[in-house]
Amino acid sequence: MRTPIIAANWKMHKTIQDALDFVKEAKDDLNAITGSDKAICAPAVLLAPLKDALAGSNILLGAQNMHWETHGAFTGEISPLMLQGLVDLVIIGHSERRQMFGETDETVNKKIKAALAHDITPIFAFGETLEQNQSGEAAIICSNQVKAGLDGIQVDDAKRVILAYEPIWAIGTGISATPEDANRIIGSVVRATLGELYGEAVAQEMRIQYGGSMKPANVEELMAQPELDGGLVGGASLNPETFIPLVKAAAAARS
Ligand code: PGA
């Protein structure tokens, strides 16, 4: 059975002190939850202090972006070499980076390959816009994004990728996809695409999260859907009171 993973995506929130306060409050509770992986994906400047603060726990640490080159004249960028050993995970291709920072399927693909080459697990995010959803294009858009992001990645590497289906219209809006729709896209579209690329057995092993307004009020019904392997969570991940219940619910749903 696939172990679910709930990953906090703090986006551009929290100072070092805020991050340390969160860990102080949440570390023991999160660490005690068995049956679900849990991660904090934080802004780059928080990663080193968080690594120290999370030591001795089973809470994974992730970055939110990185460049694909190991070094060079790329002002403001962070390389996989700098993240290797510091983080377990890196979010690649979040829609905010695609929409506001010029990321394309090609750069997403390069970054996923770079992460894998440096032993960092990519959380590969993709999803359709509201317009694409309303015109019935969600399936083809998601399938194409998955194929493009994984282009040239062989099966043994692909198995290490975590995918995150994030319908853009559900991110930060308070409106989540219906559990049934999320399950349908993840199962009949994304997992089916992975099956075409890597075979059915591998597709069944790979983890696919849902992201978009996951919160304590809807996590149980989302996690009741068999294809969802957890969540990538923005707003509700910022406070222990709303984040811890998500991890507990994911663990309970699969126990
Ligand atoms: P949200 O963000 O939970 O605030 O909708 C999810 C995400 O963007 O990863």
Side-chain angles (χ1 to χ4, degrees), residues 33-174:
I33 303 168
T34 55
S36 176
D37 291 340
K38 61 287 268 196
I40 296 173
C41 300
V45 292
L46 305 184
L47 295 173
L50 277 171
K51 181 163 174 77
D52 289 342
L54 295 173
S57 80
N58 56 21
I59 305 162
L60 301 171
L61 181 62
Q64 299 175 355
N65 177 40
M66 61 169 209
H67 200 277
W68 58 87
E69 294 287 353
T70 52
H71 59 273
F74 301 105
T75 301
E77 290 290 319
I78 291 162
S79 91
L81 208 52
M82 298 166 189
L83 292 177
Q84 188 169 27
L86 178 63
V87 299
D88 306 289
L89 306 152
V90 59
I91 301 171
I92 302 288
H94 192 281
S95 60
E96 287 152 17
R97 299 219 49 92
R98 293 181 193 248
Q99 291 187 317
M100 292 184 268
F101 302 99
E103 299 223 7
T104 63
D105 285 340
E106 288 70 37
T107 61
V108 167
N109 178 247
K110 285 184 186 182
K111 290 179 180 195
I112 293 174
K113 286 177 175 162
L116 291 166
H118 290 85
D119 292 320
I120 302 166
T121 299
I123 297 182
F124 164 28
F126 57 89
E128 81 283 1
T129 63
L130 181 61
E131 213 176 36
Q132 291 164 339
N133 184 280
Q134 288 175 339
S135 60
E137 291 174 289
I140 187 71
I141 295 290
C142 290
S143 175
N144 286 344
Q145 284 185 6
V146 168
K147 284 182 187 158
L150 296 175
D151 188 41
I153 296 174
Q154 302 305 309
V155 63
D156 285 342
D157 281 334
K159 278 184 196 171
R160 294 157 50 208
V161 176
I162 297 170
L163 291 92
Y165 168 54
E166 298 207 306
I168 295 172
W169 47 273
I171 295 176
T173 56

